[in-house]
Amino acid sequence: MTGGRPTVVLLHSPLVGPSTWQPVAAVLRRHGRAVAVPDLRHVAAAEPPYWPAAVDAAVTAVGPGGSDVVLVPHSNAGLLAPAVAHRLAGLGHAVRYVFVDAALPGPGPDAPLAPPDLLAMLEGMADGGLLPRWTDWWDPADVAALLPAAHLRAIVEDQPRLPLDYFRRRVLLPPGWADRPGAYLRFSSAYEEEADRADALGWPVRHLPGGHLHAVADPDAVGRAVLDLSG
C-alpha cells in the first residue's frame, strides 16, 4: 500500500442493492474512513455479458489517482472483485481485498456466475427471461430470519430483477488476481469452503457468526471486522 488510510469500496451483489452495505458504510465513516458504495443494479439492463457494467461502475466510483483501496465484495460480487481490482491497479491504485461471505473465484482464466445446481434452479424460475427478485427465490420465513424487520423492506425494494442470461455467463479473471493482499470474513455456513480456500491462500480468515445479510443485521460488528482485516 502507498500509505495513509485507504478508501473502503463496498461492493454489493448485483442480485441485491447498495442498501445491503449502507449501514456498514455509516459505521466506517464514523471511524473516519473514506467509503464508496457503487450502485451495481443497472447491470440488469446492461448489454450481455452484463458484468463489465458492474466493473465500470465500481471503478468510476473510486476514480483516478494513486490512492490505496480496500475492495470489500459481498456474495456474488466476489466474482467481480478481481476484474475491479485489476482495473483500479491500472489507474495507479494499490488494492487489497476483504471478501465478506462472498464467492471466491479460482485461479481462472474465468469463472461461472452461477454453479450448475443454482443455474438449474434459476432456469425454472425465469419469466420472460427475467428472474424474480433475490428475496423471492427463497422461503419468506428464511428471508425474514436474515434481517431485522425494520430493514427488510428497504432490502426488498432495492433489488433488481436480473436476466437469467446473466447467470449463464462467465466472468474473466486477470492472471494472478489472488496474489494481492487479501482477507476473508465469513458469516454463514454456506461460505465455509470459500473461507477454507482463502486460508489456503495464506489470507487472514475470521468467522463472525450470522446470516448472509449480517452486514445489515449487525453493522457495528461487521464494520469493526472489516477495519481489523483491512491491514
Side-chain angles (χ1 to χ4, degrees):
M1 308 296 276
T2 61
R5 286 186 161 186
T7 297
V8 181
V9 181
L10 302 172
L11 286 185
H12 69 84
S13 167
L15 284 69
V16 287
S19 62
T20 52
W21 270 129
Q22 292 296 356
V24 170
V27 170
L28 297 178
R29 290 180 180 122
R30 288 200 298 269
H31 283 268
R33 304 301 290 267
V35 182
V37 187
D39 189 341
L40 310 183
R41 290 173 294 176
H42 65 288
V43 168
E47 293 294 323
Y50 312 102
W51 62 266
V55 175
D56 290 344
V59 172
T60 299
V62 178
S67 61
D68 294 355
V69 172
V70 179
L71 192 58
V72 187
H74 174 245
S75 194
N76 188 265
L79 298 171
L80 308 177
V84 175
H86 181 72
R87 287 273 303 279
L88 290 174
L91 295 174
H93 297 285
V95 185
R96 67 187 304 133
Y97 308 106
V98 179
F99 282 73
V100 176
D101 225 42
L104 186 67
D110 57 21
L113 283 164
D117 55 343
L118 176 60
L119 184 58
M121 181 186 85
L122 297 180
E123 286 174 340
M125 290 183 175
D127 179 11
L130 288 178
L131 292 166
R133 296 177 302 184
W134 177 76
T135 50
D136 293 329
W137 296 5
W138 319 107
D139 185 286
D142 293 337
V143 174
L146 290 175
L147 290 169
H151 296 288
L152 184 57
R153 181 175 179 180
I155 299 299
V156 169
E157 291 180 349
D158 215 14
Q159 300 170 106
R161 292 186 63 191
L162 285 174
L164 173 64
D165 191 40
Y166 173 86
F167 293 98
R168 291 173 171 153
R169 303 287 172 161
R170 301 181 71 90
V171 59
L172 298 178
L173 299 173
W177 72 266
D179 294 339
R180 301 183 190 282
Y184 199 99
L185 175 61
R186 177 172 72 89
F187 304 147
S188 62
S189 59
Y191 288 86
E192 188 170 358
E193 179 182 338
E194 280 83 354
D196 288 344
R197 290 198 288 117
D199 183 64
L201 291 171
W203 292 0
V205 175
R206 179 174 299 184
H207 181 207
L208 187 60
H212 188 50
L213 297 179
H214 198 54
V216 181
D218 192 352
D220 290 310
V222 174
R224 288 193 301 269
V226 168
L227 289 175
D228 289 346
L229 292 168
S230 294

